[in-house]
Amino acid sequence: MQFSVPYLLSIITFLPLLGAAAVLLLKGDGPRRAMALGVSTVTFLLSLLLLVGWQDGNAGMQFEEMAPWLPAVGLTYHLGVDGISLFLVLLTTLLSPIAIAFSNRFVHNKLGAFLALMLVLETAMIGTFLALDLILFFVFFEFSLIPMYFLIGEWGSQNRVYAALKFFLYTFAGSAVMLIAILVVYANTGTFDLMQIQNVPLSSNVQMWAFLAFTLAFAIKVPLFPFHTWLPDAHVQAPTAGSIILAGVLLKMGSYGYLRFNIPLFPEAAATFAPWIATLAVIGIIYGALTALTQKDMKSLVAYSSVAHMGFVMLGLVALNQQSVSGSVLQMVNHGVSTGALFLMVGLLYERRHTRLLEDFGGLWKSIPVYSFLFLVVAMSSAGLPGLNGFVGEFAILLGAYTWNPLFAVIGAAGVILAAWYLLTAFRKMAQGKITKPENEVGRIQDIRPVEFLMVLPLLLLFLIIGLFPNLFFDKINPSVTALLENQPAVTRSLEPVALDSIAGEDLSK
Amino acid sequence: MIQFAWLLLAFPAAGALINLFFGRRLSKNAIGAIASGAVIGAFAVAVMLLVALLGLPAEERAVTVTLWQWITVGTLDIKAALLIDPLSVVMALVVTGVGGLIHVYAISYMHDDAMFQRFFVYLNFFIFSMLILVLSDSFAGMFVGWEGVGLASYLLIGFWFDRKDDLYGWYADAGKKAFIVNRIGDFGMLVAMMAIWAALGTLTFHDVFAQAEAGMLAAGTATLICLMLLLGATGKSAQIPLFVWLPDAMAGPTPVSALIHAATMVTAGIYMIARTQPLWHLAPDASTVAAWIGALTALMAASVALVQTDLKKVLAYSTVSQLGYMMLGVGVAAYGASIFHLLTHAVFKALLFLAAGSVMHGLHGETDMRKMGGLKAKMPATYWTFLAGTIALAGIPLTSGFLSKDGILLGALVHSPVLYVVGLFTALLTAIYAFRMFFLVFHGEPRDKKLIDHAHESPRLITWPLWILAGLSLVDSLLNLPFILTLEKFLEPALGAHEEPALTLELLALALSVVISLLGLAMAYGLYMRRDGWAQNLKKSLSFMQGPLENKWYFDEVYNTAVVNPLKAIGGWFTSFFDPRVIDGAVNGVAHGTSRLGEYARRLQNGYVPTYALSILVGVAAVVVYFLFI
C-alpha cells in the first residue's frame, strides 16, 4: 500500500464514540454542538482518506486490521473495507454531520444526550460495514438499535413509545434468530472470521437453515415486504435526524448484510431462494408505491417509497449478476442520498409549520420558491430521472435482472411509473395550486436559509456526480462484486448475456 | 469541426445556468437575450455541422463524438457520446431553428409575466434536453434526453401552477398528467432497452443495428422490442392510446405549445422510430401496428378537431392528427417522407400556434372562437401569416404541407390501400377543420363586438418571427420536391434507401391529394362562410356525432374509470386496511401471542415446589420416551 494511516478504519469507527463521550462531558449546548459537528466532520474528512489511499482494481479487503479478541473461542477484531462497503461507509460519514447540523439547529430538548446518541449510532453503523468477524458484525449491528431506540422514544412525536418499542423488538427478534445461525455456522466451520468461512463449503442443509435465519434478520432491516410495517411507524415518529439516518443508512445494513454474508456463505441456498426473494422484492416495489400514493403524512409517504426503492436493491442482489449487483450497491448509496435528502426537506418544512400533512400545504412554490424548487430536484432524483443518481442504479439493476428473469425486471420497471405518480402527487399538493392556509402566505413562511441550503448542497452535488459520472463509483465497486460473484456456483447462468451459449461451457468448468 | 459538436449542448446549458443563478440580477431583456442567444448560437453550430457533413462523402456521414465513459459495469458499457449524421443534424436544425424564433417571440409574449426568468430557464433546459435526445448515439443517452424533455414539458405545462379554469382544470394537474402518461411510454422504452441489451449486449445505435442487420436478433425479440419502442413513441408523440395528455398540455403558455407540444418534443417518438429503423425491418408486424395506430390517431384527432371551439384545442388535436400521419409514415417505412413532414409540420404548426398566440395577445388572452370573427382588418400581419400556416396544414397544392403529406400517403398507398383511404379521408377532414378555424377567427362579423373592437395588432417582436415562419412554410417544400427528393436523399445514410414507387401510382396519389384538399376547402367555405343549404343539411345529418366528438371519444373517462381510480382505490385499501390490519395485524398478533406465552411461563414459575416437581417429571418422561422410541 503506497499510502497508509495506521489503524485508519479503527479511527474512523471509534472517533465518533469518543466524540460522544466528549459531548457528554462538555457543559452548555454551544460547545456540545460544536463538538458533535466537529467530530462528525473530522470523521468524514478522515474517511475521505480511504479514497486517497484506495488501490483501484484491488477486489479484496483494503486497510485491513486484525487483532485477537477472544482467542479462546476464535473471536477476532477484524476490520476491512472493499468496493462493496467503501461507499456505504462514506455515506454514513457524510449523512451523520448533515443530520447533526440539522439537529444543532432544531433540537433543544436534552441536546447533549441527543448528539451523543447520534455519535454512538455513527460508530455502530460504520462498524457494521467494516466488521469482518461474524460476532463483531453482530455486535455492531445490534448495538445500532439502542441509540436509535432512544432517539425515537425520547425525541419522537406523539406515538413515539409504541414506534420505538416496535422498531426495537421487531428488528431484535430477527437478529436473535441470526445469532443462532451464526453459532451454527461456527459449529460447522470452527471460526467466526468471514474471510475464512468463505472458503469452507457448508452442507446444503446447514446452508438452507442458516440462510433463512440470516435472511429473516436482514429482510426485516431492509425492509422487504411483508416485514416492513415497523418502518412507517418508526419514520413518522422519529425526529428528522433519526429519519435521515434510519432511511439513509440503517436500512442498508440489511441489504449490505445480505450481500456480504448470505451470498458468499450460503451460495446454494441464495440461488435456491432467489426467485422467492425477488417475488417479495417486486411486490414491495408495487405495493410500496401504491401505498405511498395515498399517504397523507409526508414522512409515511417517504417511508413507503423506501419500501419500493429497497425492493429494487433486493431484486438486484438476488439476480446475482455483475450489472444487477453493482447496480444494487450503487442504488444503496443512491437511496441513502435521495431519501436522506427527502427527509431533510420534509424536516425543514416541519420545523416551519409543525405539521407534515400534505393537506396543510399547497401553493408553496409561490411563497418559498427556492425550497420548492429544491424539493422538486430531490423528488426527481428519487423518481429516477436520468442524469441524476437514482436512474443509474435502477437502470443497471433492471438490465441485470432482465437477463436473469425478464418478468421480475418488467414488473420492477412498472414501479418507475408509480414513483413519478406518488412523488408528483405529493409535490402537486404541497407546492402547486393556490395557497389555502394563511400560515403558508408569502412573508409568513421562511424560504430555505443559507445554512440550511448548505446541509442539502452536498446531497444535491452527489445527485449530479453520481448521475453523470457513475464510473467514479463503479470503478471501485465492480472488482469486489466480480470477485464475490466468481465464488458463486450459480452465477454462470447470467454473467455474460452477450454470448451465453458460447461461454457457458467454459464457465461451468471453472 | 465535428469534434466540437458538444458546443451544441453547451450553449443552451450555459444559457439555462446563467439565467438560473444570475437571472435575478438581470433585466428581462438581458434574460431574454441570453436565452435566445444561446439557442441561436446552437443553431449556428448546427449549421456548421451540416456544412461539415456535406463536405464528407455520403457513406462517411456518421461521426461519433465521444464525451466520456458514462456507465461501465462488466459488459455493460455506455458512453456519453454524440452521433452526428444527417438525421441528427436535420433534427438539431429544426429544434434550434424553430426554437430560436420561438425564444425571440417569447421575450415579448411573456414580458409581463412575473416568472419571466423561470420561463426562460425552463425553455433553455428544454432545448438542451431535446438536443441530447436527438444527438445521442445510444438508447441510454437518448433516454436521458427523452425524460429530460418530459420534465421540461411538465414544468412548462404547469408553469402557471396556481391557475385553474373550466377548460383545463388546475394547470398543475395537466402538467402532472403529461409526466405520468409519458412515464407509461418510458416504461416501454425501459423494457425495450432491457430486451435489446439482453439479446445483443450493447445499447449503442451503431452496434445494435449492425448486429440486427447481421441476423443476431430473432424475429420474435425484434417484434417485442419494436412494440415496446412503439409504446414509448405513443407516449411522447401523443398517439392512441397515450395521446390524452397533449390536449391538456395547452394549459402551458402559447410559446411552449408551439415549441414543445407542436414543433419539437412531440416529434421525438417519430424521430426515435426513424432512428431505429433497422430494427423495424425485422419486425414487420410491429410496423403494421404502428401504421394503424398512426392512421387511426390521425382520423380520430382530426374528427375531434372539427368540433372544438377553443382555438388552441383545435391546434392541439390537429397536432395529434398530424403526428398520426408521421406515425403512419414510419409504419409503412416511408421514413424520409415522415421526417420531411416532421420538418414542414414543425414550421407551419409553430407558425399557427404563434399566430394564435398573437390573436390571444390582441384579445387579452381570449381563445374561444365563438367570440371571435372579423379579425382580418384588426390584425393584418397575423391574418396573412395565419393564412400561410392554414394552407400548409390543409395541404393546399404547392404548399409544404401538401407535398410532405402526399409523400406519406404515397407510402401508405404502396403498403395498403385501406390505410391510404383512411389517410386520404383524414386529409379531407384536415382541410375542413383548418379552414373552419381560419374563417371563424378572421372572417365574418365579429361575434363579440366589444372584444373585437379592442383588438390590436401585436408588436414587432411577435410579428416578425411570424413572417419568417410564414416565409419558411412557403418555401421549405423546395427541400424535398417530388422526384428530386433532396432531403430524403441526404437522409439516406441514416434512414436507408428510398423506395421508388411506380410513376402512375405517384401521379394518382398527387392528383387525389389535390382534389381532396380543394374539396375540403370548398366544404369549409360552404359550411362556415356562405353557410349554404347543402352544407347545413350535411351538418345536420351528422349531428349524432356531435356528442362523442365533443367528448373526445371518451378516452379520458374510460382511463379514469378503468385505470386511475382503481389504482388509487387499491392504494387506499392498502393504506386503510391491508397494511395496518392484515400485515401489521399479524405482526402485532405475534407480539401479543409472545407476551401471552410469557404470561403463561411466568405462571409456571409460581414458587410451588409441586409444580416444579411435576415439570421435572414430565421432562424426564420426555427424555426417556425420546431415547426409547425415537
Side-chain angles (χ1 to χ4, degrees):
Chain A
M1 209 181 288
Q2 74 274 44
F3 167 95
S4 77
V5 175
Y7 308 115
L8 182 57
L9 296 186
S10 292
I11 294 171
I12 295 171
T13 307
F14 291 105
L15 187 61
L17 193 63
L18 286 177
V23 165
L24 289 178
L25 290 175
L26 283 172
K27 292 269 179 289
D29 282 353
R32 285 173 183 153
R33 287 192 183 102
M35 173 60 75
L37 187 58
V39 166
S40 59
T41 308
V42 169
T43 308
F44 172 64
L45 295 175
L46 286 173
S47 69
L48 289 180
L49 291 177
L50 295 175
L51 290 177
V52 179
W54 195 259
Q55 293 174 311
D56 273 325
N58 180 350
M61 290 296 162
Q62 306 196 25
F63 301 94
E64 230 174 321
E65 288 174 31
M66 191 142 57
W69 181 16
L70 280 176
V73 285
L75 282 184
T76 49
Y77 173 80
H78 189 180
L79 300 182
V81 57
D82 68 352
I84 291 169
S85 49
L86 172 65
F87 294 109
L88 292 170
V89 172
L90 293 176
L91 176 72
T92 311
T93 56
L94 174 67
L95 285 179
S96 290
I98 291 174
I100 285 173
F102 183 95
S103 311
N104 275 347
R105 206 172 150 70
F106 295 112
V107 174
H108 303 291
N109 173 32
K110 289 181 268 183
L111 178 67
F114 187 99
L115 293 174
L117 286 169
M118 289 293 292
L119 290 168
V120 171
L121 184 57
E122 186 176 0
T123 288
M125 295 184 296
I126 297 173
T128 305
F129 294 129
L130 293 178
L132 296 178
D133 178 282
L134 257 58
I135 294 294
L136 189 61
F137 168 82
F138 184 79
V139 168
F140 282 124
F141 186 84
E142 286 301 279
F143 193 61
S144 68
L145 292 179
I146 296 163
M148 186 53 86
Y149 169 79
F150 284 112
L151 285 171
I152 298 174
E154 271 300 310
W155 287 271
S157 309
Q158 294 83 354
N159 210 4
R160 57 183 178 267
V161 177
Y162 168 76
L165 202 62
K166 186 170 179 179
F167 160 77
F168 190 92
L169 287 181
Y170 204 160
T171 42
F172 189 77
S175 31
V177 181
M178 180 167 73
L179 181 59
I180 298 169
I182 289 176
L183 297 175
V184 171
V185 170
Y186 175 74
N188 280 274
T189 58
T191 175
F192 289 113
D193 193 300
L194 176 68
M195 298 291 109
Q196 293 176 33
I197 301 172
Q198 279 177 353
N199 304 323
V200 185
L202 293 164
S203 75
S204 299
N205 204 26
V206 171
Q207 279 198 31
M208 192 176 78
W209 291 109
F211 175 89
L212 287 177
F214 273 68
T215 301
L216 181 68
F218 295 142
I220 291 171
K221 202 84 174 180
V222 165
L224 194 65
F225 176 93
F227 304 105
H228 63 273
T229 49
W230 63 271
L231 186 70
D233 282 327
H235 269 311
V236 169
Q237 302 302 327
T240 298
S243 285
I244 293 172
I245 296 298
L246 183 59
V249 185
L250 286 192
L251 306 189
K252 273 91 231 174
M253 289 167 38
S255 49
Y256 167 80
Y258 185 89
L259 176 59
R260 176 64 84 211
F261 300 101
N262 285 23
I263 293 175
L265 298 190
F266 321 117
E268 278 177 44
T272 309
F273 288 104
W276 297 98
I277 296 175
T279 305
L280 294 179
V282 296
I283 290 177
I285 291 174
I286 302 298
Y287 181 87
L290 283 176
T291 313
L293 186 61
T294 48
Q295 294 305 305
K296 296 186 171 74
D297 184 303
M298 292 162 87
K299 271 188 145 184
S300 66
L301 186 149
V302 183
Y304 280 106
S305 86
S306 289
V307 175
H309 280 121
M310 292 306 286
F312 272 103
V313 172
M314 290 310 290
L315 175 62
L317 293 183
V318 298
L320 277 180
N321 56 52
Q322 177 81 52
Q323 288 75 30
S324 74
V325 176
S326 281
S328 278
V329 174
L330 186 65
Q331 192 62 7
M332 290 183 213
V333 179
N334 285 336
H335 179 260
V337 177
S338 300
T339 309
L342 270 176
F343 276 121
L344 183 62
M345 295 305 285
V346 173
L348 289 175
L349 201 54
Y350 179 78
E351 296 301 338
R352 285 160 168 71
R353 293 275 285 100
H354 297 283
T355 172
R356 290 181 305 261
L357 296 180
L358 283 167
E359 65 193 28
D360 287 332
F361 298 101
L364 291 183
W365 212 339
K366 188 147 217 155
S367 45
I368 46 173
V370 180
Y371 173 89
S372 302
F373 174 75
L374 294 178
F375 191 96
L376 185 63
V377 173
V378 176
M380 281 295 143
S381 148
S382 181
L385 187 84
L388 299 181
N389 56 340
F391 172 73
V392 182
E394 278 177 12
F395 192 57
I397 290 170
L398 287 176
L399 288 179
Y402 190 91
T403 61
W404 172 56
N405 185 321
L407 184 63
F408 289 133
V410 169
I411 298 174
V416 174
I417 305 173
L418 299 176
W421 192 2
Y422 63 73
L423 285 164
L424 290 188
T425 300
F427 188 71
R428 164 73 185 81
K429 289 179 181 166
M430 187 191 90
Q432 297 177 313
K434 286 215 189 304
I435 296 173
T436 49
K437 306 256 165 163
E439 297 91 330
N440 299 329
E441 286 290 352
V442 183
R444 292 280 300 275
I445 183 167
Q446 170 70 42
D447 205 339
I448 195 161
R449 294 173 186 275
V451 58
E452 295 166 343
F453 180 71
L454 280 180
M455 300 173 202
V456 194
L457 183 66
L459 303 175
L460 297 177
L461 291 176
L462 272 176
F463 292 171
L464 283 171
I465 294 171
I466 301 177
L468 296 177
F469 308 104
N471 278 355
L472 294 173
F473 297 78
F474 279 138
D475 285 346
K476 297 181 169 51
I477 293 170
N478 289 339
S480 298
V481 171
T482 311
L484 187 130
L485 292 176
E486 269 168 5
N487 296 328
Q488 285 288 302
V491 292
T492 45
R493 60 200 161 141
S494 51
L495 197 60
E496 295 289 332
V498 191
L500 192 57
D501 307 328
S502 60
I503 62 154
E506 246 175 74
D507 270 14
L508 284 174
S509 63
K510 268 183 196 169
Chain B
M1 170 60 220
I2 291 181
Q3 293 310 310
F4 291 98
W6 55 269
L7 277 172
L8 206 44
L9 298 173
F11 272 107
L17 290 175
I18 291 171
N19 279 335
L20 175 66
F21 288 113
F22 306 108
R24 275 190 198 186
R25 277 172 248 163
L26 296 172
S27 71
K28 284 188 174 178
N29 285 336
I31 291 170
I34 289 168
S36 310
V39 181
I40 293 167
F43 179 71
V45 177
V47 171
M48 282 189 266
L49 289 174
L50 176 68
V51 173
L53 268 193
L54 288 172
L56 294 171
E59 63 278 5
E60 287 174 26
R61 286 179 189 162
V63 182
T64 304
V65 181
T66 303
L67 302 177
W68 72 85
Q69 284 296 128
W70 183 30
I71 303 177
T72 311
V73 184
T75 53
L76 175 66
D77 175 33
I78 303 172
K79 294 176 181 67
L82 308 179
L83 172 62
I84 307 302
D85 76 344
L87 181 58
S88 65
V89 169
V90 165
M91 291 299 295
L93 284 169
V94 173
V95 171
T96 53
V98 177
L101 287 172
I102 293 172
H103 273 69
V104 172
Y105 173 100
I107 298 175
S108 175
Y109 189 87
M110 297 299 288
H111 202 269
D112 298 328
D113 198 284
M115 298 184 290
F116 187 86
Q117 172 203 3
R118 195 180 290 186
F119 182 79
F120 278 98
V121 171
Y122 291 169
L123 226 49
N124 269 186
F125 172 69
F126 167 75
I127 297 282
F128 172 71
S129 302
M130 189 70 203
L131 288 172
I132 292 179
L133 196 166
V134 298
L135 291 170
S136 284
D137 86 321
S138 72
F139 283 93
M142 179 173 68
F143 192 67
V144 175
W146 188 269
E147 288 232 324
V149 294
L151 174 61
S153 166
Y154 161 78
L155 291 168
L156 285 162
I157 294 169
F159 183 71
W160 290 308
F161 55 82
D162 59 352
R163 283 197 198 170
K164 180 188 184 184
D165 62 28
D166 293 338
L167 204 54
Y168 301 106
W170 285 100
Y171 288 17
D173 285 337
K176 193 179 100 182
K177 177 175 172 184
F179 196 87
I180 294 164
V181 172
N182 266 294
R183 271 247 161 157
I184 299 173
D186 297 354
F187 162 78
M189 300 291 287
L190 274 175
V191 175
M193 286 192 280
M194 296 190 283
I196 291 170
W197 193 74
L200 301 175
T202 174
L203 287 170
T204 311
F205 289 140
H206 175 268
D207 299 342
V208 169
F209 302 153
Q211 294 194 41
E213 278 160 2
M216 294 180 60
L217 201 57
T221 315
T223 304
L224 169 78
I225 290 168
C226 287
L227 286 175
M228 285 295 128
L229 291 176
L230 181 60
L231 179 62
T234 59
K236 212 47 109 200
S237 289
Q239 300 292 293
I240 296 171
L242 297 182
F243 73 95
V244 288
W245 64 273
L246 185 60
D248 289 1
M250 298 301 124
T254 300
V256 171
S257 310
L259 176 62
I260 302 184
H261 305 118
T264 56
M265 183 189 82
V266 288
T267 63
I270 310 301
Y271 159 79
M272 183 266 289
I273 294 179
R275 170 59 79 198
T276 58
Q277 50 89 15
L279 298 178
W280 295 78
H281 290 304
L282 303 176
D285 291 345
S287 290
T288 306
V289 174
W292 273 102
I293 282 180
L296 292 176
T297 305
L299 177 63
M300 178 278 301
S303 69
V304 175
L306 281 174
V307 299
Q308 295 298 306
T309 52
D310 182 86
L311 179 55
K312 283 184 79 177
K313 290 254 172 166
V314 176
L315 290 173
Y317 279 101
S318 161
T319 303
V320 174
S321 176
Q322 295 292 308
L323 290 164
Y325 272 118
M326 296 175 217
M327 184 63 81
L328 168 62
V330 294
V332 298
Y335 299 107
S338 271
I339 296 295
F340 180 41
H341 194 56
L342 186 161
L343 191 154
T344 60
H345 175 260
V347 175
F348 71 68
K349 189 53 68 64
L351 168 61
L352 282 169
F353 265 112
L354 294 188
S358 174
V359 170
M360 289 165 66
H361 197 266
L363 299 180
H364 308 287
E366 187 56 62
T367 54
D368 191 340
M369 295 194 295
R370 288 170 297 190
K371 295 181 183 166
M372 297 178 191
L375 269 178
K376 178 183 174 184
K378 290 279 185 185
M379 308 180 79
T382 307
Y383 172 80
W384 287 109
T385 51
F386 201 104
L387 178 61
T390 307
I391 60 173
L393 170 63
I396 299 301
L398 300 181
T399 62
S400 56
F402 170 78
L403 286 177
S404 53
K405 191 156 61 186
D406 183 61
I408 290 172
L409 288 175
L410 177 64
L413 180 58
V414 174
H415 197 80
S416 141
V418 187
L419 284 173
Y420 175 74
V421 171
V422 175
L424 198 63
F425 181 65
T426 304
L428 176 69
L429 298 185
T430 307
I432 296 175
Y433 76 69
F435 279 103
R436 167 182 177 264
M437 165 178 70
F438 179 71
F439 292 143
L440 285 180
V441 173
F442 290 102
H443 285 276
E445 288 300 309
R447 284 178 291 281
D448 185 336
K449 201 138 179 26
K450 213 169 128 201
L451 182 73
I452 304 300
D453 279 349
H454 286 87
H456 57 84
E457 185 57 280
S458 301
R460 258 185 237 156
L461 219 48
I462 286 184
T463 53
W464 74 253
L466 293 182
W467 284 115
I468 294 177
L469 284 168
L472 282 175
S473 84
L474 294 177
V475 301
D476 60 11
S477 56
L478 296 176
L479 285 175
N480 203 41
L481 288 173
F483 308 110
I484 304 173
L485 300 176
T486 324
L487 180 71
E488 288 191 38
K489 295 227 164 89
F490 176 63
L491 290 171
E492 263 177 20
L495 297 182
H498 176 76
E499 285 177 56
E500 285 291 338
L503 184 63
T504 47
L505 216 55
E506 199 159 352
L507 291 176
L508 174 72
L510 268 176
L512 278 174
S513 291
V514 171
V515 172
I516 271 297
S517 63
L518 294 179
L519 180 63
L521 168 60
M523 287 177 72
Y525 192 74
L527 278 163
Y528 302 104
M529 284 292 288
R530 291 173 36 145
R531 300 186 184 265
D532 287 340
W534 64 266
Q536 298 308 316
N537 284 339
L538 178 70
K539 217 172 158 183
K540 242 177 240 151
S541 65
L542 291 174
S543 61
F544 68 94
M545 293 296 293
Q546 195 82 5
L549 290 185
E550 278 178 356
N551 289 292
K552 303 137 195 176
W553 296 104
Y554 305 104
F555 272 93
D556 274 322
E557 288 74 7
V558 170
Y559 288 168
N560 279 332
T561 316
V563 183
V564 179
N565 293 336
L567 280 178
K568 277 188 188 164
I570 292 170
W573 182 72
F574 285 164
T575 302
S576 63
F577 180 76
F578 190 74
D579 212 58
R581 299 257 174 269
V582 179
I583 297 183
D584 211 29
V587 173
N588 285 332
V590 169
H592 285 143
T594 313
S595 72
R596 189 75 54 82
L597 217 63
E599 197 66 16
Y600 286 127
R602 192 180 59 76
R603 260 184 241 162
L604 288 179
Q605 299 184 16
N606 54 9
Y608 291 114
V609 178
T611 318
Y612 293 146
L614 183 67
S615 56
I616 292 170
L617 188 67
V618 172
V620 170
V623 172
V624 170
V625 167
Y626 178 83
F627 280 110
L628 284 182
F629 300 104
I630 297 172

